[in-house]
Amino acid sequence: MMHFGAYVHNNRLQDAQPMPFTSEIHMACAALVKAGAMPYDTWADACTVGMYEEGSWLPPHEDSRAFERPIVILSLLSDEQEMTFGQVDNLGEYREKARIRMPARSATIIDAPAAYAPWLHALAPAPTGRISLTFRRVSPEARRALQVERMETERAGAMQSLKCAAQLQERAASGRGLSQNEIKKLRKKARAKQAKVQTKLNHANNLAMET
Ligand SMILES: O=C(O)CCC(=O)C(=O)O
Ligand SMILES: [Fe+2]
């Protein structure tokens, strides 16, 4: 599997530098828009390329809630792939309720309610090798959660720098066993730390304004 664009893990958008969409992925988006499977060509910001060998399958799952619905899957190479939809019964067993075909060059659009639990989807074992491009869009809530996380990191960093600056100043002020030159150096270091506090707080404020 390869991820292009936004990277989501454990229902959260991750603060990672993702691989950007390639020209091929953009072309696929344009084709999906033309076919009426995607609202507009910059709609998706995450694309997972799945490469399945004969016999590989995907267990029943709900896609991350950090993504909006629908989820758009472009299937390539195989005409035989099937996706199942079902729910888990009282005994904890996945009960298949529906099955759809995913022939090569087709788009599968999974939207609410099928795209949310209790509905799950799964890939039946691949009869032949297959490639899929799964297009998704990160939800505004997930974007906001990442901004808040970044903001909190900046604020914590600012507090750390502030503590450091105070310690340096204290040592300089006591001056115990230090030459004039060393005291001067300590004061300079403290000022540099103090400047970092301000930069980090500014970052945090900018992030707060964006959320
Ligand atoms: O590769 C596919 O066809 C489906 C993949 C899928 O369900 C997923 O990545 O969540
Ligand atoms: Fe899925």
Side-chain angles (χ1 to χ4, degrees):
M1 252 188 214
M2 286 169 81
H3 297 285
F4 296 87
Y7 184 61
V8 161
H9 184 63
N10 284 343
N11 286 328
R12 294 178 74 91
L13 176 61
Q14 302 296 306
D15 201 356
Q17 270 298 322
M19 270 195 288
F21 278 17
T22 64
S23 57
E24 291 84 356
I25 292 176
H26 282 300
M27 271 164 62
C29 282
L32 286 164
V33 172
K34 206 170 156 200
M38 201 184 266
Y40 51 94
D41 59 4
T42 54
W43 176 83
D45 50 22
C47 175
T48 303
V49 179
M51 284 156 279
Y52 301 93
E53 288 173 14
E54 182 185 328
S56 52
W57 53 285
L58 264 190
H61 65 277
E62 175 195 38
D63 280 23
S64 170
R65 297 242 172 169
F67 290 119
E68 276 181 10
R69 289 352 184 209
I71 292 146
V72 181
I73 304 165
L74 176 63
S75 294
L76 299 171
L77 291 185
S78 168
D79 282 330
E80 321 295 330
Q81 188 62 51
E82 288 181 330
M83 179 171 267
T84 71
F85 291 85
Q87 297 188 2
V88 172
D89 68 14
N90 295 337
L91 301 170
E93 289 286 326
Y94 175 66
R95 293 279 168 214
E96 181 183 325
K97 301 264 171 75
R99 185 174 274 247
I100 56 161
R101 293 180 52 234
M102 304 174 95
R105 298 163 59 83
S106 74
T108 304
I109 304 169
I110 314 178
D111 208 344
Y116 290 108
W119 286 103
L120 305 177
H121 60 276
L123 285 183
T128 60
R130 172 175 175 265
I131 292 178
S132 67
L133 277 73
T134 301
F135 290 97
R136 288 177 273 228
R137 184 177 175 80
V138 173
S139 72
E141 295 77 23
R143 288 227 173 267
R144 226 168 291 132
L146 177 60
Q147 287 290 84
V148 168
E149 205 177 287
R150 283 180 180 150
M151 191 180 71
E152 281 166 2
T153 305
E154 288 294 328
R155 287 207 175 129
M159 288 307 115
Q160 197 57 40
S161 294
L162 191 64
K163 232 162 116 183
C164 221
Q167 278 167 357
L168 287 164
Q169 255 155 5
E170 215 171 285
R171 256 173 62 205
S174 91
R176 239 175 294 123
L178 297 172
S179 70
Q180 278 309 313
N181 204 23
E182 281 166 333
I183 290 173
K184 233 166 123 183
K185 270 191 189 156
L186 278 178
R187 291 223 158 99
K188 198 171 161 198
K189 259 191 180 167
R191 278 198 300 277
K193 278 280 170 208
Q194 196 71 49
K196 272 199 182 145
V197 174
Q198 204 48 58
T199 315
K200 284 176 181 161
L201 285 179
N202 288 344
H203 278 166
N205 286 342
N206 287 341
L207 287 164
M209 277 194 297
E210 283 170 30
T211 55

